[in-house]
């Protein structure tokens, strides 16, 4: 009996995290000796909340899932911007060999892509100021590293999870909890103890909304730590906020009036796209929780589009092997794989195919970039193609 309701890696690799009808399908195909090679597309027909674009994430886990299996996989590079109706991944092989892994494949892509997309949207809403992912407390701890990785590659500047940060080669980011101040019983002592105990390199960020008004605690922190104070953090609960932007403006005014111009203002607590857009001009950095970590997954589906080389699919889908081309200016084109594009039909710019080999006959043939490289690719696309939240 396991202590926690989680699937271990060997459970996933053995296909035990599948839906039961895939097991039944495999049994029928094996019993009736039906051995057909298929090609399947992974696509979505819509994005959460009417979003116009998404960020593909979870590709590395998919590669590890299918490594050693007799399949070929073609995929957009992890971190690529995609749109509804564009295949982000294609898998080719004998269906009875890979069908039981559809559930895991879709889950790996769907949730990670939803989180990565939400992260980039927050980054855009914050006008590309620092955004940190603080939301793993809202989700099951078994998937905390996946959440942290997806949030980071989506554009977050750091993550709070210790294991998640370790697994992507980053240092965890955080400040102090209200619990520290309450247990010590005095906010000034808590800030000073934090400064005394924390190693150099950890930013001195004081939480300033525990016992008194934010404005007065901010001044107390600045007086207590002086030039060692990097930032103050406001985590004011919604029941006490009123006009949060006005509170932040007050804090900024009082700090600068007294010469504490170097002290940054860090905001957290229930932030979402709308609040970040409103607060981006008055704060320096943001900690976002559930709006990233609990983001709605992308509703990907896997559909057979070819059997034994012949185009065929279910109603509502497009059959046949496809390619997605993107030009230098961000125009996307979905075409049959037999049609080669050299130039964009819209603007004449050069195009590149986005679906590229990931696995050939079970061997990973694509480079699997580090999280920081994927993050840089995501942010580069966002700026080059001038992504908006509309």
């Amino acid at each position: 009996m396991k202590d926690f309701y989680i699937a271990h890696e060997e459970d996933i690799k053995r296909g035990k995290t599948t839906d039961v009808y895939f097991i039944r399908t495999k049994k029928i195909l094996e019993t009736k000796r039906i051995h057909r090679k298929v090609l399947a597309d992974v696509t979505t027909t819509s994005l959460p909340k009417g979003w116009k674009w998404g960020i593909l994430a979870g590709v590395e886990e998919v590669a590890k899932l299918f490594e050693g299996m007799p399949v070929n996989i073609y995929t957009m590079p992890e971190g690529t911007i995609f749109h509804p109706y564009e295949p982000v991944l294609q898998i080719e092989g004998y269906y009875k060999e890979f069908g039981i892994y559809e559930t895991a494949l879709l889950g790996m892509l769907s949730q990670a892509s939803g989180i990565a997309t939400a992260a980039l949207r927050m980054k855009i809403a914050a006008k590309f100021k620092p955004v940190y992912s603080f939301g793993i407390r809202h989700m099951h701890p078994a998937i905390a590293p996946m959440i942290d990785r997806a949030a980071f590659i989506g554009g977050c500047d750091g993550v709070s999870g210790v294991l998640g940060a370790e697994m992507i080669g980053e240092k965890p980011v955080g400040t102090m909890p209200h619990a520290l101040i309450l247990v010590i019983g005095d906010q000034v002592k808590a800030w000073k103890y934090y400064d005394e105990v924390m190693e150099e390199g950890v930013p001195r960020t004081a939480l300033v909304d525990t016992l008194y008004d934010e404005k007065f605690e901010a001044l107390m922190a600045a007086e207590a730590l002086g030039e060692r104070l990097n930032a103050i953090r406001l985590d004011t609960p919604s029941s006490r906020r009123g006009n949060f932007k006005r509170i932040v403006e007050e804090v900024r005014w009082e700090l600068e009036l007294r010469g504490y111009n170097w002290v940054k203002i860090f905001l957290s607590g229930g932030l979402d796209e709308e609040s970040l857009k409103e607060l981006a001009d008055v704060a320096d950095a943001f900690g976002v929780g559930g709006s990233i970590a609990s983001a709605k997954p992308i509703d990907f589906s896997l559909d057979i589009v070819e059997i034994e080389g012949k185009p065929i699919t279910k109603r509502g889908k497009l059959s046949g092997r496809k390619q997605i081309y993107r030009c230098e200016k961000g125009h996307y084109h979905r075409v049959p794989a037999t049609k080669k594009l050299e130039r964009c039909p819209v603007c004449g710019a050069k195009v590149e195919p986005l679906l590229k080999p990931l696995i050939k006959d079970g061997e990973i043939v694509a480079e699997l970039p580090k999280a920081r490289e994927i993050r840089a690719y995501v942010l580069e696309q966002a700026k080059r193609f001038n992504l908006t939240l509309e």
Side-chain angles (χ1 to χ4, degrees):
M1 180 65 183
K2 297 177 180 177
D3 293 324
F4 304 113
Y5 289 97
I6 61 174
H8 295 286
E9 289 187 6
E10 58 268 27
D11 296 322
I12 299 170
K13 289 284 283 186
R14 289 168 59 193
K16 294 185 71 176
T17 58
T18 192
D19 294 296
V20 69
Y21 55 67
F22 292 120
I23 298 290
R24 293 168 179 167
T25 298
K26 180 180 174 69
K27 183 177 181 180
I28 292 168
L29 294 177
E30 289 180 339
T31 301
K32 297 299 181 179
R33 298 180 181 177
I34 298 172
H35 200 54
R36 291 180 179 169
K37 197 170 190 177
V38 308
L39 175 73
D41 285 348
V42 173
T43 58
T44 183
T45 58
S46 63
L47 295 169
K49 303 178 183 179
W51 295 345
K52 303 299 183 185
W53 49 265
I55 299 297
L56 181 63
V59 172
E60 182 178 321
E61 286 194 314
V62 169
K64 298 298 177 63
L65 173 64
F66 285 97
E67 187 175 15
M69 295 187 195
V71 297
N72 298 323
I73 295 180
Y74 310 87
T75 181
M76 293 182 180
E78 188 153 21
T80 298
I81 297 165
F82 68 90
H83 309 89
Y85 298 100
E86 295 169 353
V88 299
L89 180 145
Q90 297 171 325
I91 182 167
E92 182 179 39
Y94 291 100
Y95 188 75
K96 72 181 185 67
E97 300 289 343
F98 74 79
I100 62 170
Y101 296 100
E102 177 175 333
T103 307
L105 162 64
L106 294 178
M108 288 172 173
L109 295 180
S110 294
Q111 190 163 23
S113 297
I115 293 167
T117 304
L120 182 57
R121 292 182 67 88
M122 295 296 168
K123 187 74 172 172
I124 294 171
K127 296 185 177 180
F128 292 92
K129 289 185 176 180
V131 174
Y132 301 93
S133 180
F134 285 177
I136 57 173
R137 69 184 63 188
H138 299 290
M139 305 297 284
H140 196 286
I143 60 170
M146 180 279 296
I147 293 169
D148 281 339
R149 179 181 184 273
F152 184 75
I153 68 175
C156 284
D157 295 80
V159 300
S160 62
V162 175
L163 180 58
E166 178 184 314
M167 291 179 73
I168 60 175
E170 300 291 326
K171 292 183 178 180
V173 176
T175 60
M176 63 181 66
H178 293 97
L180 175 67
I181 294 170
L182 292 172
V183 170
I184 291 174
D186 179 283
Q187 61 268 68
V188 175
K189 284 184 179 179
W191 300 327
K192 287 184 174 180
Y193 291 170
Y194 189 88
D195 182 38
E196 291 169 9
V197 175
M198 289 298 99
E199 61 272 20
E200 291 297 327
V202 174
R204 271 46 181 173
T205 301
L207 182 59
V208 297
D209 62 4
T210 307
L211 301 173
Y212 301 163
D213 179 87
E214 296 89 348
K215 175 169 61 178
F216 296 112
E217 285 205 9
L219 294 176
M220 291 165 61
E223 291 167 2
L225 297 186
E227 293 186 358
R228 291 185 62 77
L229 181 66
N230 297 104
I232 50 97
R233 178 165 74 96
L234 279 68
D235 191 57
T236 309
S238 57
S239 62
R240 297 298 181 92
R241 277 187 181 178
N243 188 322
F244 196 30
K245 184 176 182 179
R246 293 297 184 194
I247 294 174
V248 178
E249 288 174 335
E250 272 189 36
V251 171
R252 175 81 72 186
W253 176 273
E254 299 299 338
L255 285 170
E256 292 189 353
L257 185 65
R258 290 161 177 79
Y260 300 115
N261 300 309
W262 68 86
V263 178
K264 305 295 185 183
I265 296 180
F266 187 115
L267 304 182
S268 61
L271 299 178
D272 57 18
E273 271 186 38
E274 292 306 311
S275 57
L276 259 64
K277 285 191 287 186
E278 181 182 3
L279 297 165
D281 292 330
V282 298
D284 300 295
F286 306 90
V288 181
S291 294
I292 293 177
S294 305
K296 189 173 181 181
I298 305 295
D299 189 14
F300 285 122
S301 64
L302 184 147
D303 299 286
I304 291 174
V305 296
E306 195 176 275
I307 298 179
E308 296 293 345
K310 295 181 179 180
I312 185 171
T313 192
K314 71 178 186 181
R315 294 189 302 169
K317 302 291 181 177
L318 298 179
S319 64
R321 192 181 298 265
K322 306 169 190 71
Q323 180 58 269
I324 304 296
Y325 287 93
R326 181 176 69 189
C327 81
E328 297 168 340
K329 296 183 179 179
H331 299 124
Y332 284 67
H333 305 282
R334 180 189 60 199
V335 299
T338 53
K339 181 178 180 179
K340 307 296 182 184
L341 287 185
E342 300 274 341
R343 296 279 176 178
C344 175
V346 175
C347 67
K350 290 183 179 180
V351 297
E352 66 165 329
L354 292 180
L355 290 170
K356 302 175 181 180
L358 176 70
I359 287 182
K360 279 203 170 186
D361 298 322
E363 180 184 353
I364 298 174
V365 294
E367 180 185 355
L368 299 177
K370 301 293 185 183
R372 184 161 284 275
E373 296 175 76
I374 301 171
R375 177 180 180 273
Y377 171 53
V378 168
L379 294 176
E380 183 272 330
Q381 291 172 96
K383 294 176 181 177
R384 176 158 54 109
F385 300 136
N386 196 26
L387 286 190
T388 67
L389 301 180
E390 304 303 324

